[in-house]
Amino acid sequence: MKNPVPQAASLLLEKLLLLVHVRPLPAGSGGEGYYDTSCFKRGDLLEVPRTLFIHFGIYLGENRVAHLMPDILPAFTGDRRQIQQVVTNKRLILGVITKTASIRVDTVEDFAYGGSILVNHMDRLFEDQVLGSEEAARRAEKLVGATAYSLLWNNCEHFVTYCRYGAPVSFQTDKFCETVKMIIRDQRSVLASVLVGLASIVCLGLAPSTTLPTIFIPFFLWMAG
């Protein structure tokens, strides 16, 4: 059986990097007209599934999508031409570190980065909370510009759920936190067993009856965690 704790830690690190979009948008990715935007309506919530995360945006019409990305540049300049340029990894990572971001408008092609697009897929989770399409689009447009960034409290999913459902929530964040709790819980179980074993060695002396459990109990907890 594979060790789930190191695997979970590895996945946690990968998801952390991917959730903050450590992958720049390339100029002209996918090519103009790569997506059929005729099936999109103003105010639609667009999802682009990735390997370990989902990126979200609000369709504004005319091949434009509003979405939130970490970005350091808006903290230093208000020049829209500079800000609208491709977000490099350096800009993005510094944005995560300094907790700054921008809600920007890009083409569908640049937003999706060649991935498949789901439309209003989250509506099923909110039932009667769906706002009007025009209201959702107007909320997104009103928020365009510099904003604070937080992986846990203000990411791209918080942005779109506020616009379309009136409540900023992030299911990805919830899953992320559960993964963290699982790792901490498993690490504590292993640590506790090690401490008990060491205490037994100190009190009862170095012997197979005390040493072996100290070695094997943490091992099996690690394997079964």
Side-chain angles (χ1 to χ4, degrees):
M1 181 177 178
K2 293 183 179 180
N3 190 337
V5 177
Q7 283 187 334
S10 177
L11 287 175
L12 178 63
L13 178 59
E14 291 181 25
K15 177 164 284 192
L16 175 62
L17 294 176
L18 289 171
L19 278 173
V20 297
H21 315 302
V22 181
R23 187 179 185 184
L25 293 173
S29 61
E32 190 68 23
Y34 182 80
Y35 295 92
D36 180 11
T37 60
S38 64
C39 60
F40 301 152
K41 297 180 181 178
R42 179 173 163 82
D44 280 347
L45 190 158
L46 307 184
E47 301 180 34
V48 180
R50 301 298 190 194
T51 303
L52 295 173
F53 78 101
I54 300 174
H55 188 44
F56 298 88
I58 296 291
Y59 187 64
L60 302 179
E62 300 179 347
N63 197 36
R64 298 174 301 131
V65 182
H67 59 127
L68 186 153
M69 287 191 67
D71 187 4
I72 187 64
L73 197 56
F76 294 99
T77 179
D79 189 333
R80 292 186 179 182
R81 289 181 299 178
Q82 290 187 41
I83 294 173
Q84 195 59 32
Q85 292 176 359
V86 174
V87 178
T88 63
N89 277 339
K90 185 175 181 180
R91 279 172 57 181
L92 187 149
I93 293 172
L94 289 175
V96 173
I97 294 173
T98 59
K99 298 183 180 180
T100 59
S102 66
I103 295 171
R104 51 187 289 136
V105 178
D106 285 303
T107 65
V108 171
E109 290 76 23
D110 283 346
F111 162 76
Y113 199 89
S116 58
I117 298 178
L118 300 177
V119 183
N120 300 330
H121 191 247
M122 294 182 71
D123 285 4
R124 60 189 174 83
L125 301 175
F126 288 87
E127 299 181 352
D128 299 330
Q129 292 179 252
V130 181
L131 301 177
S133 296
E134 185 61 28
E135 172 65 17
R138 287 179 178 176
R139 284 188 174 209
E141 290 172 334
K142 187 176 181 180
L143 292 173
V144 169
T147 185
Y149 177 78
S150 170
L151 175 65
L152 299 181
W153 313 116
N154 192 39
N155 60 39
C156 63
E157 190 173 5
H158 291 104
F159 165 65
V160 298
T161 52
Y162 166 76
C163 291
R164 189 165 176 85
Y165 311 116
V169 298
S170 175
F171 296 105
Q172 291 187 113
T173 294
D174 293 341
K175 291 180 181 179
F176 177 81
C177 291
E178 286 302 316
T179 302
V180 172
K181 290 178 182 178
M182 180 193 72
I183 293 174
I184 293 174
R185 182 174 59 250
D186 291 341
Q187 296 282 10
R188 284 178 176 175
S189 298
V190 174
L191 179 60
S193 64
V194 170
L195 292 176
V196 170
L198 291 175
S200 299
I201 292 174
V202 171
C203 296
L204 303 176
L206 191 63
S209 60
T210 57
T211 305
L212 292 179
T214 302
I215 296 173
F216 286 109
I217 290 177
F219 175 77
F220 284 119
L221 283 173
W222 183 276
M223 292 292 291

